[in-house]
Amino acid sequence: MTARHRLEECEVAVKFIIKEKVPEHAWWDDEMLGRVPTEVMIMSLVEHENIVKCLDLFEDDLYFYLPPTPRPNFSRRASYDLFECIEQSKHKRLSEADARYIFAQVVEAVHYLNSQGIAHCDIKDENLVIDRDFKVKLIDFGSAVVADPNAPAPFYTLFFGTTAYASSEVLRKQPYQAPPAEIWTLGVLLSYLLTGHSPFPTEADAIEGRVHVRERAGGPRISSDALGLMARCLERDPARRADVGEVRAHVWLQGALVRG
């Protein structure tokens, strides 16, 4: 719901978290906050321009209430989730320049989270809020996991993200590590940004890593660098898949955060 913050004198969007629906594994005991959902703890600690941050935390017997940090260009009338942005674009896809700018911001957010031992685990167009200047914020940490950033990433057997973005190893029901699975979701997101479609027509294609790029007939061709980055993100074998450092350093993203 939207609300007005009386001290900050700005409009905010308030997220309601139903306490009884938070799974047992998704609680966190914090010295200051007490027993709270993991996403509350994460959003209270993260500090990055491309990640939403909690302004306050309120609770009653049924709910936690999370109003995020306000931003002048992220008012109700000036912002959309990325899915809406793509749907409203002329050909239900973005120009490569705009896709590159948006994707670079998401990669910066993922790189920052990875350095903190956090994996979002549900990166998708609907969890990215974009303003009129194409500035991006990552939202909704309800599926996020936290681990020691200085230790090998743990393996998980449960998956709480979105199946359409799930990595090959997740779909094969194998134990998986969150960082490589997160890179896969970036590859799927990049396909949506550039083509408006998933790179996998069927789940079987995703399981086998068979990428299908649907370019618009008569439209500009997608650059080989963009397609090369997508392929590195969608490598079937998680051990051979790019990590976030490789993605961030890829030639297609060099200078991408500078808007002409």
Side-chain angles (χ1 to χ4, degrees):
M1 297 182 69
T2 57
R4 185 161 187 82
H5 197 285
R6 290 182 292 181
L7 296 180
E8 298 289 339
E9 296 185 345
C10 63
E11 188 179 68
V12 295
V14 181
K15 179 175 182 176
F16 287 55
I17 300 176
I18 304 173
K19 290 183 175 180
E20 67 176 19
K21 291 192 175 182
V22 178
E24 189 58 35
H25 76 275
W27 289 91
W28 191 273
D29 291 310
D30 183 81
E31 292 183 1
M32 295 184 61
L33 299 175
R35 183 170 167 79
V36 295
T38 300
E39 68 173 306
V40 173
M41 186 275 298
I42 291 173
M43 292 173 63
S44 68
L45 293 177
V46 295
E47 195 72 56
H48 192 276
E49 63 177 326
N50 298 122
I51 302 174
V52 72
K53 183 174 174 64
C54 243
L55 185 65
D56 282 308
L57 173 65
F58 306 96
E59 67 173 303
D60 56 25
D61 291 340
L62 298 178
Y63 302 101
F64 287 101
Y65 306 89
L66 281 73
T69 302
R71 282 281 301 276
N73 287 341
F74 280 82
S75 70
R76 178 171 55 184
R77 297 178 182 84
S79 63
Y80 311 87
D81 70 42
L82 189 53
F83 174 80
E84 293 175 309
C85 179
I86 295 172
E87 286 294 301
Q88 291 176 14
S89 60
K90 185 176 181 181
H91 300 290
K92 294 192 175 182
R93 53 168 283 183
L94 302 175
S95 71
E96 184 165 328
D98 289 338
R100 180 170 168 261
Y101 182 57
I102 291 168
F103 189 73
Q105 293 177 74
V106 179
V107 171
E108 288 300 304
V110 171
H111 180 264
Y112 167 79
L113 290 172
N114 185 76
S115 72
Q116 306 299 309
I118 301 168
H120 184 278
C121 295
D122 198 20
I123 295 174
K124 57 183 178 180
D125 47 8
E126 293 152 292
N127 284 339
L128 294 162
V129 178
I130 182 169
D131 75 1
R132 290 172 178 166
D133 299 322
F134 282 13
K135 295 289 188 179
V136 173
K137 277 192 179 292
L138 179 61
I139 65 171
D140 195 348
F141 282 77
S143 299
V145 295
V146 183
D148 183 350
N150 299 313
F155 283 85
Y156 300 94
T157 55
L158 298 177
F159 176 71
F160 297 97
T162 301
T163 303
Y165 284 75
S167 66
S168 175
E169 61 271 23
V170 169
L171 295 174
R172 295 196 306 269
K173 296 181 170 51
Q174 297 179 342
Y176 69 95
Q177 292 174 298
E182 194 102 300
I183 297 300
W184 179 282
T185 65
L186 290 180
V188 177
L189 175 66
L190 183 54
S191 178
Y192 275 111
L193 291 173
L194 292 170
T195 73
H197 299 281
S198 169
F200 304 112
T202 69
E203 185 173 299
D205 290 313
I207 289 173
E208 296 302 323
R210 294 190 295 262
V211 176
H212 298 263
V213 178
R214 297 173 60 178
E215 296 190 78
R216 184 169 59 88
R221 300 300 300 271
I222 300 171
S223 71
S224 59
D225 286 338
L227 295 175
L229 177 55
M230 188 190 306
R232 288 295 298 128
C233 292
L234 297 175
E235 161 62 51
R236 183 179 184 273
D237 182 355
R240 298 173 56 192
R241 194 175 301 152
D243 61 19
V244 70
E246 178 185 333
V247 173
R248 190 170 182 242
H250 194 275
V251 63
W252 188 65
L253 291 180
Q254 297 313 294
L257 296 173
V258 179
R259 295 285 269 181

